[in-house]
Structure formats: C-alpha cells, structure tokens
Amino acid sequence: MSANATAGARHDIDPEFLALPLRTVADAAIQRARDLGASHAEVRTERGRLQAMALRDARLQTSVDLTDTGVSVRVLHDGAWGFAAAVDIDPATAQRLAEQAVELARTCKPLTSEPVVLADEPVHADVTWVSAYTEDPFGVPVATKIALLGDRSATLLAHPAVDHVDASFQAVLEQKFYADSAGTVSTQQRVRVHPELTAVTLDAGDAGFEDMRTLAPPTARGWEFVTGTGWDWATELAQLPDLLAERAAAPSVRAGRYDLVIDPSNLWLTIHESIGHGTELDRALGYEAAYAGTTFATFDQLGELRYGSPVMQVTGDRTAEHGLATVGYDDEGVATTQWDVVRDGVLVGYQLNRQMAAMKGLGASNGCAFADSAAHVPLQRMANVSLQPADDGPATDELIADVDDGLYVVGDKSWSIDMQRYNFQFTGQRVYAIRNGRLAGQVRDFAYQSKTPDFWGSMAAVGGPQTYVLGGTFMCGKGQPGQTAPVSHGCPSALFRGVNVLNTREENG
C-alpha cells in the first residue's frame, strides 16, 4: 500500500532520497542481525536538511544550508538493546552496523536489569506518508527569502519607536525510511518553517530597552505560511511598533493575586513544560532524570491524580494537521494516533514507546518513539500535547468580560520550572490590565507563579474553538547525549482565578 496519510499533502517524496539503496541496505542489516541471533532489528535511513538565515537591521548576518544523511541499526538481542550508525548508505556498511549493534547488546546485557519486551504492533507493509504543505520552502530562492525579511525589517525600522530589528527564518525538510524484522516498511517526508521578527526600542525608561517578537508560531507548513497562509502577517507587523511603544511606557505591575486570561500564544509554553514533559512515561518511571528531571505525575497516580479543574481536557496527538510532532509512523514502526492525557481534570494517559507500554501492561504504544537523526537512538519524545477548547466556549473578549480586576497575558517570553515539573514561573510579551471586564492598557515586569496542579486547578473556563491556536517550538531538548525535537501545543484562551503574580523588577531588587 502506498498513500499520503495527511489530507492536503501535495508532494511526493524526493526522488533523490528514494534513489538511495534503502531496501537493499535494510534487508542486508536485518538478515545479518537475524543470523547473529537478534530477536528484533530495525533500520532507519534518514536525510535532514536545515536552512537558516538571520538579518540585523535588514542586513544579512548569517545564512546556512546543511544536509545530514545517515543510516542506523538497532537490535534486540537476548533482551538487551544494541545500536550502531554510519553515514555510508550501502549493504556492506549495513551488515557491519548490525554486527556492531549485536556486539553492543551482548556487552550491555549484564547491565540490563529487566529483559526488554516490545508491545505488539500490527505490521505496516510499504506505507508512505507526507506532511501537509503547499510550497516547498527549499524551492524558493535564498535571495527571495532574504529580500522578504529585509523588506519587513525595513518597514518596522521606519517606525520612530523601533531602533533595531532582528529577523530570522528556518526551514527543515526530513525524509526517513524505516524497516524492521517484523515486516513494517515506512517512507516519510515532512516540512516545517519558522519565520520570526523582533523589534527593539532603546531608552525605555529605567529598563534601558524593550523588545517584542512576532507571535507567529513555528509550523509544519511550507513557504506559504511566510507569505500569509495560516497567519496574518500584515496586521501583526503593522501593530507591532505601537504595541512595543506602549509597553515601553507602561507602568510596572502591582504584585498580588489576579484572575488571568491567558492567550494561546502564552499558554502553549505552560502546557509544554508542566503537562507535556510531566506526562512522559520515562520521566514518571525515572528513566529520564539527569537532564531535565522526572515528574510529580508518577505512574502510581494514573487514573487518580487531580491534574486540574474539571474543564481541563488534554490530548496527546501525532496526527494533527500542521503539528510539528505530527508523523504517520514513529521510529519503532508504530502508526500514530490521538489519545487522552487528562480527562475532566484527571491524569488518564502517558506518552509511550513500545518498551514501556509492554513494561507497564498498557497495551499498544501511542507512537512516541523518535530520534532527531540516524545518528541517535529513538527516545520517548513528546507528541503534540494540547488543551482542548469547549465546544460552545466563549471568545477571548467574553472571558475578559468575566474579570473585574485581572490581567490578560499574550505571547511567551521566559520560563522556569523545577525538576519535578511542579513549581514554575512564566512571563509574557504583552500583559494588559483588566478593569471591570475591559482591557486597560499594558503593564510590565510581570510573571505568574504557581504549582502545576494548583494552576490547572484554578482554570475556571476555556475558550471555544474560535480561540484555538497551534503554538510550539522547533527545539525541545531531551536525553543524554542531547537530542532536539519539534513539537506543537494547541490551546484556546483560558481563564484562571486567583493566580499569584510577581513584579520581577521588585523581585530582582
């Protein structure tokens, strides 16, 4: 079978990638691993291309275009994992990698406290998946991209409130061929882009300077996103200088407890840090600890932990169109899906790979094994973890109208969270005072602070689908050696009652 798994995909997989000896290499590695006694073998051949450029005050500072291609073999031998990778894509190298992987598994066997068992997964024979994008960003000349960023920078610089502008653009194109000894064979291609502009104003009172970024999120779309499909660039760039000037002249926030209406452009990051990382099963079991800690949401609390208020519905999803973590099949050959993480405020699900799904008797994996290149082993990586809107929920201005004395938070800026994903602090790009249900101008020096279950427990209302936005990041870090992964988090606007707000200037003395 061969099919595009995502509606709207219009591209075939790059024939130059398909011209590589993908099946020959996989067959050679799998057969050699079998000959050496491996109970399971999987082969990934990957090619990733990154294009990035940056401008300062409409002048080009950097421009890079990098391509990385490689092949890896992972085996299960006598209940232990083995892994090897190389850059040469040929059968002889594949056989050598299988031998190295089996040898590593034999070496690691004495250190394996519990034999690895994989959860069952149907065989997906010869499947193809391509992400949904319209215009290949690598088909657009570099000069065109630089000119567009330069024009937008110049427009911002023409405003008297703007002294400097930083502009950047990143595009990624990935192709991946996967085959395993059970018979699954998948070939996939995906694209993502991240354009961003930051305006800076100097002499902003005693702050020295203020800056403000565009809110357009990174997305799994093509060049069409940069030119206006899926984002209103014209409106955002027209408003940015005046919004920056307003914040530079804004009064400092008064510390205390406030009702907060939080925009999706800010709330996605709180979801990422306090729910996304908090519901990775490897953290809950203590397998991930050294880099970013474990989680307060331990496995013994599954089905019991009150994560938030009854209006809190959170899903894990690797199928959302234009999601940065969206794929057709993960790096263990698992068909991706959507599932509940928090239902009616209670923890009901984790992010799983095949090993941990089997270990804890959870049935099938939900497709969260992912490596950032052929050089690395698949880790349990975050799906698109998203807060769901209320079907007939209010608009953002209706949420604001329900607040007498509060704050409206827009855009992410900085964050801090402890090693248990429990105590946290987040700031925002624009924070507006709310008086008697209306916005009353920006304030600054703002941060909100809480404990994860207290914060989500204070959520009194979520907005409707009309407020829902898919935010995210290109660069979620995890593991040792460290790996990066792109991930999206969708959410509506939401209302939180009585959240502790700090004045960061006062906190800093």
Side-chain angles (χ1 to χ4, degrees), residues 215 243 246-247 253 258-267 395-401 403 405-411 427-435 437-444 446 448 467 469 492-496 501:
L215 300 180
L243 293 170
E246 180 187 357
R247 194 181 72 192
V253 70
Y258 290 88
D259 293 344
L260 302 183
V261 175
I262 304 183
D263 189 83
S265 57
N266 182 275
L267 193 57
T396 302
D397 57 358
E398 293 175 296
L399 292 171
I400 292 170
V403 173
D405 182 13
L407 298 164
Y408 173 47
V409 187
V410 179
T427 63
Q429 286 212 68
R430 303 200 308 267
V431 181
Y432 297 85
I434 303 174
R435 301 282 184 268
R438 295 179 178 273
L439 297 184
Q442 292 189 56
V443 296
R444 62 182 187 182
F446 160 91
Y448 62 95
T467 73
V469 177
S493 297
L495 169 61
F496 300 81
V501 168

Side-chain angles (χ1 to χ4, degrees), residues 286-476:
Y287 283 75
E288 170 74 7
Y291 186 2
T294 57
T295 174
F296 75 98
T298 52
F299 186 72
D300 59 306
Q301 301 180 87
L302 181 64
E304 303 291 336
L305 176 64
R306 171 58 64 182
Y307 218 103
S309 78
V311 300
M312 183 184 188
Q313 318 291 343
V314 178
T315 59
D317 189 354
R318 281 193 172 268
T319 67
E321 191 169 57
H322 306 307
L324 293 167
T326 297
V327 290
Y329 303 87
D330 79 351
D331 287 354
E332 293 182 335
V334 175
T336 53
T337 187
Q338 182 193 78
W339 70 99
D340 288 343
V341 176
V342 176
R343 186 188 308 132
D344 301 330
V346 176
L347 175 69
V348 295
Y350 284 102
Q351 303 161 64
L352 309 172
N353 60 15
R354 292 181 69 180
Q355 178 181 350
M356 292 186 182
M359 181 190 304
K360 304 309 293 185
L362 296 172
S365 165
N366 47 34
C368 285
F370 184 79
D372 65 357
S373 74
H376 289 144
V377 297
L379 300 175
Q380 193 175 102
R381 293 313 305 258
M382 200 183 301
N384 304 304
V385 174
S386 299
L387 175 69
Q388 297 304 305
D391 290 340
D392 299 317
T396 302
D397 57 358
E398 293 175 296
L399 292 171
I400 292 170
D402 200 27
V403 173
D404 292 329
D405 182 13
L407 298 164
Y408 173 47
V409 187
V410 179
D412 67 274
K413 194 169 179 67
S414 66
W415 74 98
S416 176
I417 191 164
D418 70 16
M419 298 293 276
Q420 295 294 303
R421 304 284 149 184
Y422 194 67
N423 296 281
F424 65 67
Q425 177 174 312
F426 291 84
T427 63
Q429 286 212 68
R430 303 200 308 267
V431 181
Y432 297 85
I434 303 174
R435 301 282 184 268
N436 300 318
R438 295 179 178 273
L439 297 184
Q442 292 189 56
V443 296
R444 62 182 187 182
D445 307 323
F446 160 91
Y448 62 95
Q449 181 187 58
S450 191
K451 298 178 172 126
T452 295
D454 292 347
F455 175 76
W456 292 107
S458 74
M459 188 165 64
V462 293
Q466 71 276 30
T467 73
Y468 188 87
V469 177
L470 197 62
T473 177
F474 259 34
M475 302 289 285
C476 171

Side-chain angles (χ1 to χ4, degrees), residues 34 46 74 101 139 245 259 383 493:
R34 283 176 170 149
E46 297 190 38
R74 189 170 71 152
D259 293 344
S493 297

Side-chain angles (χ1 to χ4, degrees), residues 2-9 127-132 188 319 326-329 336:
S2 179
N4 284 329
T6 299
V127 290
T128 301
W129 181 91
V130 179
S131 65
Q188 304 184 87
T319 67
T326 297
V327 290
Y329 303 87
T336 53

Side-chain angles (χ1 to χ4, degrees), residues 152-271:
R152 290 180 176 175
S153 298
T155 299
L156 291 173
L157 284 165
H159 194 284
V162 177
D163 295 294
H164 296 288
V165 173
D166 293 309
S168 63
F169 173 75
Q170 296 182 71
V172 175
L173 171 64
E174 293 179 348
Q175 290 112 11
K176 181 176 301 191
F177 177 86
Y178 170 93
D180 64 32
S181 52
T184 287
V185 177
S186 64
T187 311
Q188 304 184 87
Q189 176 170 290
R190 61 178 184 167
V191 163
R192 55 185 179 272
V193 297
H194 186 198
E196 185 176 85
L197 291 99
T198 301
V200 180
T201 186
L202 303 177
D203 299 324
D206 55 2
F209 73 94
E210 292 278 355
D211 60 57
M212 188 173 288
R213 284 183 285 111
T214 49
L215 300 180
T219 181
R221 294 178 184 263
W223 180 250
E224 69 277 5
F225 181 71
V226 185
T227 55
T229 299
W231 196 256
D232 185 355
W233 286 96
T235 298
E236 177 164 41
L237 292 171
Q239 294 176 345
L240 190 62
D242 288 334
L243 293 170
L244 174 62
E246 180 187 357
R247 194 181 72 192
S252 198
V253 70
R254 174 176 49 84
R257 289 198 173 272
Y258 290 88
D259 293 344
L260 302 183
V261 175
I262 304 183
D263 189 83
S265 57
N266 182 275
L267 193 57
W268 78 266
L269 183 55
T270 313
I271 293 170

